Amino acid sequence: AELAEIKPDLIIMGLKDSIDYIDIASGKDSLEQATRDYIETLDKLTAMGCKVIVLADTPVLTYHAVECMSAPGGNPKKCSTPLNKAVNEELLKQVMQQNKNPDVFFYNLNDLICPNNKCLPVRGQVLVFRDKRHLTKTFARLMAPAFAEILSNDFNLAIVD
């Protein structure tokens, strides 16, 4: 209701793909129900006259980044997680396949977060993850130019710092 009052031109949302989705009626895991729920939500959002960007869920490390790096012998290589083990993109794939809405756009920035298929807790002098799954504010700021380029190129939006 509040979004309808604001009437945004663009909504940016994440698609959380690292949890189980439980169908309330059956109590069972339901990828199909989660997919239907996301599609319904996307349709409701675009029905307000806006475009929607859906971002893939961020990778989930095997280790808590800070704890692993702080432990004796902790180093980026030891504390890294292969990208294919850090992401579960089943829901994203299902929603992308079933989405027929031309005002919904999907982006996966995980190659920027985990280049060369390695999710490192630290890149250079910057801590990437503050725990298993959340990016640090500093690293997110470093990614901002790449996301700003997407918004500029694909949506003709000027990004003001």
Side-chain angles (χ1 to χ4, degrees), residues 41-113:
T41 298
L42 294 170
D43 288 342
K44 285 179 182 178
L45 292 172
T46 57
M48 295 185 306
C50 67
K51 296 182 185 316
V52 178
I53 293 175
V54 179
L55 298 175
D57 199 6
T58 55
V60 178
L61 299 179
T62 309
Y63 305 99
H64 185 290
V66 175
E67 289 175 6
C68 185
M69 290 296 294
S70 300
N75 63 65
K77 185 176 179 181
K78 179 181 175 186
C79 299
S80 70
T81 302
L83 180 59
N84 66 340
K85 291 186 178 185
V87 295
N88 172 6
E89 296 179 344
E90 283 304 309
L91 180 58
L92 176 65
K93 289 176 188 173
Q94 291 294 318
V95 173
M96 287 176 69
Q97 287 174 354
Q98 293 186 30
N99 176 63
K100 306 292 185 241
N101 192 322
D103 292 324
V104 176
F105 305 88
F106 296 90
Y107 292 93
N108 188 335
L109 304 177
N110 289 335
D111 288 339
L112 296 173
I113 299 168

Side-chain angles (χ1 to χ4, degrees), residues 3-5 11 15 58 61 72 87 93 100 108 120-121 124 128 135 160:
L3 282 175
E5 292 173 18
I11 295 174
L15 189 141
T58 55
L61 299 179
V87 295
K93 289 176 188 173
K100 306 292 185 241
N108 188 335
L120 297 169
V128 176
L135 301 177
V160 178

Side-chain angles (χ1 to χ4, degrees), residues 109-125:
L109 304 177
N110 289 335
D111 288 339
L112 296 173
I113 299 168
C114 301
N116 304 315
N117 296 313
K118 272 249 192 269
C119 299
L120 297 169
V122 175
R123 292 208 349 231
Q125 297 295 314

Side-chain angles (χ1 to χ4, degrees), residues 1-53:
E2 290 180 36
L3 282 175
E5 292 173 18
I6 297 170
K7 297 183 180 175
D9 295 320
L10 178 68
I11 295 174
I12 302 171
M13 63 181 276
L15 189 141
K16 190 157 179 65
D17 212 349
S18 59
I19 59 172
D20 293 328
Y21 295 92
I22 306 299
D23 182 354
I24 294 173
S26 69
K28 296 182 180 175
D29 184 35
S30 177
L31 178 62
E32 294 78 22
Q33 183 62 47
T35 302
R36 284 192 299 273
D37 290 347
Y38 266 103
I39 295 291
E40 181 181 320
T41 298
L42 294 170
D43 288 342
K44 285 179 182 178
L45 292 172
T46 57
M48 295 185 306
C50 67
K51 296 182 185 316
V52 178
I53 293 175

Side-chain angles (χ1 to χ4, degrees), residues 140-151:
R141 283 188 175 146
L142 291 175
M143 287 187 55
F147 192 60
E149 187 175 331
I150 290 169
L151 295 175

